[in-house]
Amino acid sequence: MTLEACTEALRQHDPDRFGAVLVARPQDRPALLTLYALNLEIARAPFQSNEPMLAEMRLQWWVDRLTEMGQGKAPPLHDVLTPLWEAWGQDAGALEPLAEARRRDCAREPFADVAEAVAYVDATAGQLMWQAARRCGAAEGHREIVMAQARGAGLAAWLRALPQLQGMRLGLAQPSPEAARELAEIGRDGLRLAARLHRKVPKTAAAALYPGPRVPRLFSEIIAGRIDPFTEVPQLSAFQRRGSLARLALTGRWWR
């Protein structure tokens, strides 16, 4: 069990984070690769069964393994957990909240309002970015900046997926243009706060803080009413992804 399985999973299913890992310091790459591969697995777990109880059992398996790792117990041989243990060791226990945050996905319950959706993004994308940034040199004093950046990046990803999420009963219970604008404004404000304070964060964390391509543009289009994220969001092209990652690699800029 090596990093190859994690690398290939990211290459296929999370190309933006895969590209960002390549920009990270070599010593940080195993931790990022295994963290992001774990995130793919726990995000997928609730959807491996249409029965809420069975879906939660699948997710609970990941919760239990991470809890055990936090107690110092090595996981069973596994394409993701084995290299995760090698890269994180007992610190993998701190990743257990990432799995817990996915429990509401098992129930297929839409969010009652914007605040619930933002809280979900904070618990998933926010905690993921914080753990990545921490391994890349961010300190506890940088948490507010990292979480603000993560809120922007996470809301952008959630809004891009919203047409599919609405069909799966995982979007908003009452979709409206006002809710879309509010979500975009919250995401934009998060990015702006992080950009104002970016000098406080070590440059080594740049790869972990990468928000993905064209995030500010997406927010601007939604706020202006030119995109309705509940029905259709323009997909990113390979050229746009490569251009955004090239900017990160050449400049080290994760803020906008």
Side-chain angles (χ1 to χ4, degrees), residues 23 149 195 198-199 203 206-207 209-211 244-256:
V23 177
Q149 176 76 357
H198 74 270
R199 290 185 179 85
K203 294 180 180 179
L209 295 169
Y210 175 60
S244 179
L245 286 167
R247 176 182 178 276
L248 175 67
L250 290 172
T251 68
R253 284 176 58 104
W254 51 266
W255 65 93
R256 291 294 188 269

Side-chain angles (χ1 to χ4, degrees), residues 227-241:
I227 291 177
D228 178 4
F230 292 103
T231 57
E232 184 177 7
V233 178
Q235 295 303 302
L236 296 165
S237 69
F239 176 79
Q240 289 168 338
R241 293 183 187 278

Side-chain angles (χ1 to χ4, degrees), residues 42-231:
I42 60 179
R44 184 183 298 136
F47 305 104
Q48 293 178 328
S49 173
N50 290 326
E51 292 293 330
M53 184 174 296
L54 292 178
E56 189 156 359
M57 289 173 62
R58 292 181 180 274
L59 184 63
Q60 185 64 44
W61 185 88
W62 290 95
V63 172
D64 292 344
R65 300 294 80 74
L66 291 171
T67 299
E68 291 169 355
M69 292 164 76
Q71 296 168 349
K73 180 180 178 181
L77 289 177
H78 188 275
D79 282 347
V80 173
L81 290 180
T82 299
L84 182 78
W85 176 252
E86 293 171 353
W88 288 76
Q90 197 166 341
D91 288 344
L95 308 178
E96 181 264 340
L98 290 172
E100 286 287 355
R102 299 285 179 173
R103 287 195 187 276
R104 69 167 299 129
D105 292 346
C106 299
R108 305 292 198 275
E109 293 180 356
F111 297 106
D113 53 31
V114 165
E116 283 192 2
V118 173
Y120 173 83
V121 167
D122 287 345
T124 52
Q127 288 301 315
L128 181 68
M129 186 174 284
W130 168 243
Q131 293 296 340
R134 189 173 62 85
R135 285 302 296 256
C136 292
E140 183 62 35
H142 305 131
R143 185 189 286 263
E144 179 186 4
I145 305 169
V146 173
M147 293 299 289
Q149 176 76 357
R151 178 174 284 186
L155 281 173
W158 193 78
L159 286 165
R160 288 193 189 281
L162 194 51
Q164 291 75 36
L165 293 173
Q166 287 296 126
M168 299 166 66
R169 290 181 50 79
L170 291 171
L172 286 179
Q174 297 181 356
S176 69
E178 293 76 19
R181 284 195 296 271
E182 185 176 355
L183 285 164
E185 288 168 353
I186 292 170
R188 179 197 60 188
D189 292 346
L191 293 184
R192 287 179 174 177
L193 173 61
R196 287 199 302 271
L197 302 175
H198 74 270
R199 290 185 179 85
K200 296 184 178 182
V201 182
K203 294 180 180 179
T204 56
L209 295 169
Y210 175 60
R214 299 175 70 82
V215 172
R217 176 66 178 272
L218 174 66
F219 291 149
S220 296
E221 293 289 293
I222 293 173
I223 292 169
R226 290 189 287 270
I227 291 177
D228 178 4
F230 292 103
T231 57

